RNA sequence: GCCCACGUAGCUCAGUCGGUAGAGCACAUCCUUGGUAAGGAUGAGGUCACCGGUUCAAAUCCGGUCGUGGGCUCCA
């Protein structure tokens, strides 16, 4: 009896090959390689499929062991953790019905129907039960079930949601369940080989309502979020990161640094920019305006309301109605608060007969729009009802399209990186099922976007079918200091509006042609981008953005006069300077300036007045020694000019 | 919009069993003129989100409204 039947060949990532008896378990192989690997392995990747460590191997193949370091390993670990939590909950709440429990970024959740609301006090009990299940170390066993068997099983368990899932499975799908102790769950898997592998460094984080299948017409389930790590230190780091994020929360910093507020008396989702926030915004706007003129855009202003007819023509009343404020009627004419700027820019285009020689025409506007967002989705500056888009519309010929998109991408990256965002995730969204325009146009536009990305050498992913109905688009997400990504920039090609508004230009051939339109935003919304900036910098803005760049701290009254001279000189030079001449000790003033995250502090006492110098302290770098006022001023102006 | 939680002074938060409100910070006045993250004293500040109900009595219990927070497919 030779190999072929009894032995299988296993190939390892380094190319080496070993023979094992048929039916060998991955965990046996792992042990064979090293005890450490066996201990750290969570699952295995065998011939490209992730499988559990206790599934027998019956054919030759390539194997790679997945640990917590691998994203796929982490998913398995968290998925199993979700099962662990579900088992604990089923023990404590026998009537609970399980819906779905997937791994997510940084942990897992499980949607469960419970007969009473769950409070965070229940967490301790559930966690204790989870620890017990880990202790009991049940093997996690995979079972393949026939549809009938599966239905029978979950009917017996009164798991209505699982039954619904099974019934929706396509015929050819293999139905599997995983059992650990008394607990069995419909699941695709894979999972860790036993509950003991999940360790004790887990934590339930929060509860929230979530609709079954995300549909608000369905029943609301209780979603419990949790996380789990193989090492205590990793859990602590995760919790620390959550704390950090909380400290950076723009809503908290916005209040503490007196940047903006949202008042009940004004309306939710409507922002009051306080003087300090307004200073930052003004810098953002000025930078944006200068760059747009430099990049051959023309800036325009358009009104906040327009006749409803305009929005009917643009189609917004049919496809965007639920996001629009109610229409108002004046003198029997219906007006609409604007949710978008595009129809205005188109109307400006149409005030002349355009020649191909005029194109491209680039119209930009910091346009304030109002959109009705459901109250539950509003969130600080991130999701609001009134906001200012850094909007522009480029009208061009088909031949110019690629070139224009490349220019937009250049500008996007220049602007984002100046604000300190150097990492991007780029997505190209292609034609959705419902679309307008011809297939040739879609093809050409998608190619133009793709070519532009290639020219720029940007890595991107394709989001199939995620384009807007009127054209394909590129979305750019930025990554902040905490590694979170935020979608800000978007570049969208539009075939629809030029058609609806019957836009044209006269071509070289003397005949009218339809221009192509590009919608684009770099920051997206000033409000949201400001919120992201606050969190990215934790409120400690770089000098060029800081609402207060320098604060002067005279020690005693007799130093006030010199301080005032310096104040005036800096103010005239365009520095955002403040003079703290309150009757307080210098330590107190420094503390306050530190708390308010002012980059430069200048202490002025007897010595400084005597030799006409300034004792400079930098927020990050500490004391910089004594500088001549002009010297400091030049240093500041230089640093501001560098935008660093 | 929906589910859950929450709403007390400008901010952060106490407030027991229903008996008419408290701290720290901030603010004002005074003392202090002090050299790199909080000097001291005194004082002013609240229709306890709003409306209604139960009660001799409501910040507290009940209902509603408004607002805030977490979340509402990353499909077993």
């Amino acid at each position: 009896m030779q190999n072929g039947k009894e032995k299988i060949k296993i190939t390892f990532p380094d190319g080496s090959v070993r023979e094992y008896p048929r039916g060998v378990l991955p965990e046996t192989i792992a042990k064979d390689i090293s005890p450490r690997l066996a201990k750290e392995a969570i699952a295995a990747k065998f011939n490209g499929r992730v499988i559990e460590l206790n599934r027998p191997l019956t054919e030759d193949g390539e194997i790679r062991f997945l640990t917590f370091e691998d994203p796929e390993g982490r998913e398995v670990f968290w998925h199993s953790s979700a099962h662990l939590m579900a088992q604990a909950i089923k023990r404590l709440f026998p009537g609970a019905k399980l819906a779905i429990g997937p791994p997510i970024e940084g942990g897992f959740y499980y949607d469960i129907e419970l007969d009473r609301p769950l409070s965070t006090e229940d967490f301790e009990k559930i966690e204790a039960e989870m620890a017990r299940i880990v202790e009991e170390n049940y093997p996690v066993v995979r079972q393949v079930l026939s549809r009938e068997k599966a239905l029978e099983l979950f009917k017996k368990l009164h798991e209505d949601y699982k039954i619904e899932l099974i019934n929706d499975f396509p015929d050819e799908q293999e139905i599997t369940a995983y059992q650990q102790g008394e607990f069995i769950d419909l699941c695709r898997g894979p999972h860790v080989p036993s509950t003991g592998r999940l360790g004790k460094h887990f934590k339930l984080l929060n509860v929230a309502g979530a609709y079954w299948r995300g549909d608000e017409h369905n029943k609301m389930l209780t979603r419990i979020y949790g996380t789990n790590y193989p090492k205590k230190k990793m859990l602590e780091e995760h919790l620390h990161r959550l704390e950090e994020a909380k400290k950076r929360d723009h809503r908290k910093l916005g209040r503490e640094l007196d940047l903006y507020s949202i008042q009940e008396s004004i309306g939710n989702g409507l922002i009051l920019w306080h003087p300090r926030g307004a200073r930052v915004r003004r810098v953002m706007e000025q930078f944006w305006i200068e760059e747009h003129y430099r990049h051959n855009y023309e800036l325009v202003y358009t009104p906040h309301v327009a006749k409803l007819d305009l929005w009917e023509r643009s189609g917004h009343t049919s496809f965007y109605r639920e996001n629009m404020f109610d229409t108002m009627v004046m003198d029997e004419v219906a007006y609409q608060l604007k949710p978008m700027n595009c129809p205005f820019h188109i109307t400006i285009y149409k005030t002349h007969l355009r020649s191909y020689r005029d194109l491209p025409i680039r119209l930009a506007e910091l346009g304030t729009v109002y959109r009705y967002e459901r109250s539950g989705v509003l969130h600080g500056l991130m999701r609001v009802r009134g906001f200012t888009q850094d909007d522009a519309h480029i009208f061009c010929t088909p031949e110019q399209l690629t070139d224009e998109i490349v220019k937009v991408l250049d500008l996007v990256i220049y602007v984002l990186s100046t604000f300190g965002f150097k990492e991007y995730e780029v997505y190209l969204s292609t034609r959705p099922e419902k679309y307008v325009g011809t297939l040739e146009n879609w093809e050409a536009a998608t190619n133009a976007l793709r070519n532009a990305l290639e020219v720029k050498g940007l890595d991107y992913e394709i989001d199939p079918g995620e384009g807007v109905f009127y054209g394909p688009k590129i979305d750019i997400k930025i990554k902040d200091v905490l590694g979170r990504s935020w979608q800000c920039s978007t570049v969208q090609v539009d075939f629809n509006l030029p058609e609806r508004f019957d836009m044209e230009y006269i071509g070289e051939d003397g005949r009218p042609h339809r221009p192509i339109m590009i919608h684009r935003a770099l920051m997206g919304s000033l409000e949201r981008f400001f919120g992201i900036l606050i969190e990215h910098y934790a409120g400690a803005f770089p000098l060029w953005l800081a609402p207060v760049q320098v604060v002067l701290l005279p020690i005693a009254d007799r130093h006030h006069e010199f301080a005032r001279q310096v104040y005036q000189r800096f103010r005239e030079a365009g520095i955002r300077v403040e003079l703290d001449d309150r009757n307080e000790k210098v330590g107190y003033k420094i503390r306050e300036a530190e708390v308010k995250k002012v980059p430069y502090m200048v202490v002025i006492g007897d010595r400084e007045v005597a030799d006409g110098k300034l004792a400079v302290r930098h927020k990050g770098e500490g004391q910089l020694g004594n500088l001549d006022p002009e010297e400091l001023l030049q240093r500041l102006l230089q640093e501001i000019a560098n935008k660093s």
Side-chain angles (χ1 to χ4, degrees), chain A residues 18-222:
Chain A
R18 293 195 202 184
E19 288 201 338
Y20 288 96
R22 186 178 302 273
V24 67
L25 303 180
E27 59 187 350
T28 314
I29 300 176
K31 270 183 210 145
D32 198 27
I33 298 171
S34 93
R36 179 154 168 227
L37 180 65
K39 205 174 147 218
E40 287 187 359
I42 288 167
K45 199 160 192 180
F46 187 66
N47 289 337
R49 280 184 63 194
V50 182
I51 60 166
E52 40 278 296
L53 296 172
N54 54 7
R55 180 152 12 152
L57 303 180
T58 55
E59 55 184 23
D60 295 349
E62 286 177 28
I63 200 164
R64 189 165 72 84
F65 289 97
L66 300 172
T67 67
F68 197 77
E69 299 304 308
D70 301 288
E72 289 164 312
R74 232 170 295 167
E75 276 186 24
V76 170
F77 191 77
W78 284 331
H79 196 175
S80 297
S81 302
H83 276 221
L84 173 66
M85 179 175 76
Q87 183 174 10
I89 291 172
K90 286 283 278 188
R91 283 185 178 181
L92 297 168
F93 304 84
K97 291 182 183 180
L98 305 177
I100 60 167
I104 52 170
E105 181 84 39
F108 58 88
Y109 69 77
Y110 216 120
D111 283 349
I112 300 177
E113 184 190 324
L114 292 167
D115 46 12
R116 70 165 172 89
L118 207 58
S119 72
T120 43
E121 280 116 60
D122 295 310
F123 283 11
E124 280 181 36
K125 280 186 239 157
I126 297 169
E127 284 169 352
E129 197 58 44
M130 287 167 73
R132 199 163 301 139
I133 295 166
V134 169
E135 195 73 30
E136 286 157 358
N137 197 15
Y138 300 107
V140 181
V141 182
R142 177 173 188 267
Q143 306 176 2
V144 181
L145 301 171
S146 68
R147 184 171 295 254
E148 296 68 38
K149 272 268 169 61
L151 286 172
E152 193 188 324
L153 173 66
F154 289 103
K155 217 162 261 171
K156 204 174 80 206
L157 294 169
H158 304 290
E159 292 287 9
D160 304 343
Y161 298 101
K162 301 294 180 184
I163 291 166
E164 202 179 318
L165 290 168
I166 294 168
N167 283 329
D168 285 354
F169 284 157
D171 290 340
E172 66 280 8
Q173 182 158 346
E174 185 182 54
I175 299 175
T176 55
Y178 284 75
Q179 180 154 21
Q180 54 198 56
E182 82 287 356
F183 176 80
I184 186 159
D185 193 8
L186 176 74
C187 187
R188 180 172 47 200
H191 284 282
V192 296
S194 68
T195 56
R197 299 297 301 269
L198 295 170
K200 301 234 165 129
H201 310 302
F202 49 76
K203 190 163 173 57
L204 304 192
L205 298 171
N206 46 3
V207 268
Y211 299 101
W212 168 234
R213 297 193 153 172
D215 184 337
E216 64 188 41
H217 302 295
N218 286 339
K219 191 168 167 71
M220 173 78 64
L221 307 172
T222 306

Side-chain angles (χ1 to χ4, degrees), chain A residues 267-284:
Chain A
N268 52 2
L270 301 170
I271 307 301
L272 295 178
W273 293 72
H274 295 196
R276 285 170 186 245
R279 284 177 165 193
V280 181
R281 173 167 172 164
R282 191 64 76 191
V283 176
M284 292 163 67

Side-chain angles (χ1 to χ4, degrees), chain A residues 76 93 189 235 255 317 324 360 414 474 483 569 608:
Chain A
V76 170
F93 304 84
L235 174 65
R255 191 170 47 235
T317 49
M324 286 157 62
Y414 176 68
I474 293 171
R569 170 74 185 107
E608 288 69 30

Side-chain angles (χ1 to χ4, degrees), chain A residues 454-520:
Chain A
E454 304 284 347
V455 168
K456 288 299 298 167
L458 286 168
D459 286 333
Y460 63 94
E461 278 178 44
I462 294 193
D463 251 346
E466 287 301 304
V468 199
F469 74 91
Y470 53 70
K473 62 170 179 172
I474 293 171
D475 287 326
I476 297 171
K477 292 186 181 181
I478 53 179
K479 283 202 138 186
D480 72 11
V481 157
L482 297 182
R484 299 171 302 181
S485 47
W486 303 92
Q487 205 221 298
C488 297
S489 317
T490 183
V491 186
Q492 309 180 346
V493 180
D494 187 345
F495 309 120
N496 181 45
L497 286 177
E499 194 74 37
R500 280 181 167 271
F501 282 90
D502 194 24
M503 299 176 75
E504 41 180 58
Y505 65 90
I506 304 302
E508 236 171 315
D509 56 4
R511 300 184 168 281
H513 298 267
R514 189 79 74 209
I516 293 183
M517 177 173 177
I518 304 169
H519 305 249
R520 50 109 281 196

